[in-house]
Every structure is written in structure tokens, then in C-alpha cells.
Amino acid sequence: MATFSVRFLGCKVSHNDAQEVREALVRNGHVERGDGADVAVVNGCCVTHEAVRKSRQAVSRAARTHARVYVTGCAANLADAFAGMPDNVMVVSRSSEETPAFVAGDVGAIGCVRADTRLERIRAFVKVQDGCSFSCNFCVVPLVRGGSRSRPADRVLAEVRRRVAQGHREVVLTGINLGCYRDRSAGYTLARLIRAVAATPDLARLRLSSIEVNHVNEELVDALRETPVVGRHLHVPLQSGDDRVLRAMGRRYTAETYLRRLEAIADFNLTSDVIVGFPGEDERAFERTLAVIAQAGITKVHVFPYSPRPGTQTAARDTVPSSVKKERSARLRAASHTACVARWRTKVGREDVVLVDRPGRGYGDDYSPWLLDGALGELMRVRGKAVTEGGILAA
Ligand code: SF4
């Protein structure tokens, strides 16, 4: 038997990949341990230069305290990202589908334990789709994860039932480009999958991790609106509010399309990703981004200062000085915080149902953060008393 630890860097899909390796090791009879484990698995991220730096740092640290380290995930598939690492580091450059069995096979099975592990987090992330067949000019994801493919609907539904039986009350459907989800042989689109997942007995809440604006169509909006367990939140990457920059990025929409498509869900809590300092982004272009964020009613913005990624169309371009990226990032984050607080204020005096996902904190139906006391994993009906810098205070 080996003892192991698993950590991930990056997005929900990375978290999901790490959990699949974790479950494969548990199934093979190995035991998870925080400190002093024999084996470490680091599921790395490469979406920005900074993400690779942090992944390398995590791997170097793990190599000093573990006999063997497996590097997995997007970063492991980026050529040379882990060059020069110590001999006890193995870089697993494989697809997300192959990686769990490979790592478990390399560590070695000690018997058929078949332990049914609950996920580490309160929310269960269920991956339904992987890869991306779009080709945004800045994005390294298609290079490291491959083209879009979907899990069969019956397997997704079985996993959701298993997670709910394990005690997860909330499920988040995740994917790299979720709107591309198709199970052609069973006749499922993402909208139909949402309706089917939502019908799972005892599932209290369902969310989507993120969706491209071109996939926010009538069929999807109807599915989101007509299924009561779906939370009133949607994360829709904008990347830029300037059409010239969007074109240079290779995105397939204009600012006007983005705004129009979101009108149908304007009452949802809308959150987004923005890349700041993309080559050619001048002050006016950045101001357009601020304006679109405001007009769309976006609250939380994940701000990514642009960094060129190897192998992409814009790998050799980085024209905006880092001091300017920093200054614009700070302005955008400040605008985002103001918008969040404004939305939180609308909750004062109103009721919401909050899933407690860490001590003293949880998220309401529309993914607004609440500050409250409750047992982890509990769904609590609360009323807003006041707003702080960190969220809504429950009465
Ligand atoms: S849609 Fe564009 S940004 Fe998103 S993963 Fe695909 S290529 Fe990357």
C-alpha cells in the first residue's frame, strides 16, 4: 500500500481531473494522507505563464517531501513545462481519460478495494465534456487537452446519482467548452442533459461551471429557467468588450452579440472572465470592456493579465507593458467588487438557501457569498441582515 496526496491548480476541470486520479488510487487500495505521503500527484495548470510557474513550484516542493511525484493535467501536456525537475518527478503527458489508470497502474494496485470515495469538496464537480475544437488565438487549452468530446449521458447521470447518494447536495456540470456537449447516439444536447440531471432524486442544486456566450441560446435558457434546482447563476467568459480585440483573439462574437444573448437571463447573477492587456488593447478598448461588463450586469470578473502561451497564434506577441496590465487589472477588479457588493445589497431583508461549503461561509442560489454559521454541507434557509466586504451577513 502507498500513501498519497493529490492537489490541483487551476479551474474546476483541473479539480475534477485530480479527483479522478485520487479515486483511482483509492480504488486500488492506497490511502490518502495530508503530510508525509509516499506519492504526490500535482495536477498542474498552464493557462497563463503564472499558472505554469505556480505548478512548477508545487511540483518542486512536493519532490522534496515525497518519494515520487506525478505531474498530471494541462501543464503536464505542455512541452518542456517541467524540464529540469528532479529524478523522482514523472510528467504524465496523457489525456485526462487515460491519466487516472496510468498513475494508479504505475503506483501499483494492492488489491481490489473498490472504496467509494466522496469528493473532497462539498459541491460535486461532474465532468461531462472535455477538450475544445475552437481555436482562440491566445489559448493553449486545445493544444494540451485535444478536441471536444463528450461523456455518454447515461454515464453522467449515473455519476450524478452516485454523488448525490454520497451526500453531495449540489452538482456542478463541468467541461472545457460545456456548450459543445452532445451525446448524439442517445440524442442529448446540454439543455436536455440539464433537464435529466435536474430530475435526480434528492439533488438540491445544479450549476454549470462556465459556458461560451454563443451557446446561450433559447433551448439552454429554457432548460435553465424551467428546472427549479438550477441555481440562478451563469459564468459566461467575455475576454474583451472591444470588437477589434475580440477579432484578434479569434473569438466568435461581438460585444453586441454578447450583450444581446445575456438579455434573456439578465436576472441571473452573471460572472465572467476577462483577459487584460491582450496585444493591441489600448485604453479605449479597455474602457469598452469596462462598459460591456457594466451593461451586461456582470458581478464577479476573473481577471487574467495576458501572457503569451507557447504554440498559440499570439505566442510571439505581448505589446502591452506589464505596468499597464497591472493598472487595468486593478481597475477591473475594483469595478467587479463594486458590482458584487451592489448585488449583495439586494439580498438584505430577503431569504435565500445557502449551501455551507467552508467554515463560516457558503453560497446562495445565485452563487452570491454568504457569511453564516452552519455545518459543512448543510443547506440553510437564511435572511440577509447586512453586507460586508466579504459577502452577505445572514441574520
Ligand atoms: S473556447 Fe477558446 S478560450 Fe475557451 S478553451 Fe476553447 S479555444 Fe480556449
Side-chain angles (χ1 to χ4, degrees), residues 74-90:
C74 288
N77 286 283
L78 186 69
D80 299 332
F82 296 92
M85 283 285 157
D87 289 346
N88 61 338
V89 173
M90 181 189 278

Side-chain angles (χ1 to χ4, degrees), residues 132 134-136 138-139 141-142 176-177 212 239 251:
C132 182
F134 291 8
S135 44
C136 302
F138 57 85
C139 184
V141 171
I176 294 292
N177 197 333
E212 292 293 330
Q239 307 304 9
R251 304 288 285 172

Side-chain angles (χ1 to χ4, degrees), residues 189-386:
T189 57
L190 180 63
R192 186 173 167 210
L193 187 73
I194 289 167
R195 291 179 191 273
V197 169
T200 307
D202 298 326
L203 176 67
R205 190 172 281 160
L206 177 62
R207 299 188 187 286
L208 304 185
S209 60
S210 168
I211 188 143
E212 292 293 330
V213 75
N214 290 336
H215 294 135
V216 181
N217 54 25
E218 204 179 322
E219 187 199 10
L220 182 81
V221 170
D222 287 350
L224 297 175
R225 286 209 175 279
E226 291 165 15
T227 42
V229 298
V230 174
R232 295 299 184 252
H233 165 238
L234 210 58
H235 186 85
V236 189
L238 171 65
Q239 307 304 9
S240 171
D242 180 79
D243 289 344
R244 194 177 44 82
V245 174
L246 285 171
R247 258 195 318 276
M249 286 177 166
R251 304 288 285 172
R252 302 171 181 198
Y253 52 86
T254 60
E256 195 270 328
T257 308
Y258 185 88
L259 289 166
R260 184 169 33 79
R261 292 229 171 196
L262 295 191
E263 274 170 11
I265 45 168
D267 54 322
F268 278 41
N269 181 25
L270 299 172
T271 59
S272 194
D273 298 328
V274 168
I275 295 172
V276 169
F278 188 78
E281 182 195 74
D282 56 16
E283 177 61 22
R284 287 188 63 193
F286 176 67
E287 281 169 9
R288 281 190 198 100
T289 299
L290 287 174
V292 172
I293 290 288
Q295 206 180 328
I298 306 285
T299 55
K300 179 77 185 164
V301 180
H302 297 275
V303 180
F304 296 90
Y306 171 77
S307 62
R309 308 310 302 127
T312 61
Q313 292 288 327
T314 57
R317 300 199 61 213
D318 191 8
T319 57
V320 178
S322 67
S323 58
V324 175
K325 286 180 194 164
K326 222 172 172 178
E327 187 263 337
R328 288 181 190 159
S329 297
R331 278 159 68 197
L332 185 50
R333 287 192 184 108
S336 164
H337 184 66
T338 302
C340 286
V341 172
R343 186 167 185 100
W344 302 345
R345 286 212 182 96
T346 66
K347 313 276 177 185
V348 174
R350 293 211 188 150
E351 281 197 347
D352 198 350
V353 176
V354 176
L355 178 69
V356 183
D357 67 350
R358 68 196 81 170
R361 200 173 161 89
Y363 286 87
D365 174 77
D366 72 352
Y367 211 58
S368 291
W370 286 74
L371 309 173
L372 75 179
D373 287 323
L376 285 184
E378 195 180 339
L379 278 161
M380 295 179 67
R381 182 165 289 279
V382 293
R383 181 179 289 274
K385 186 168 84 176

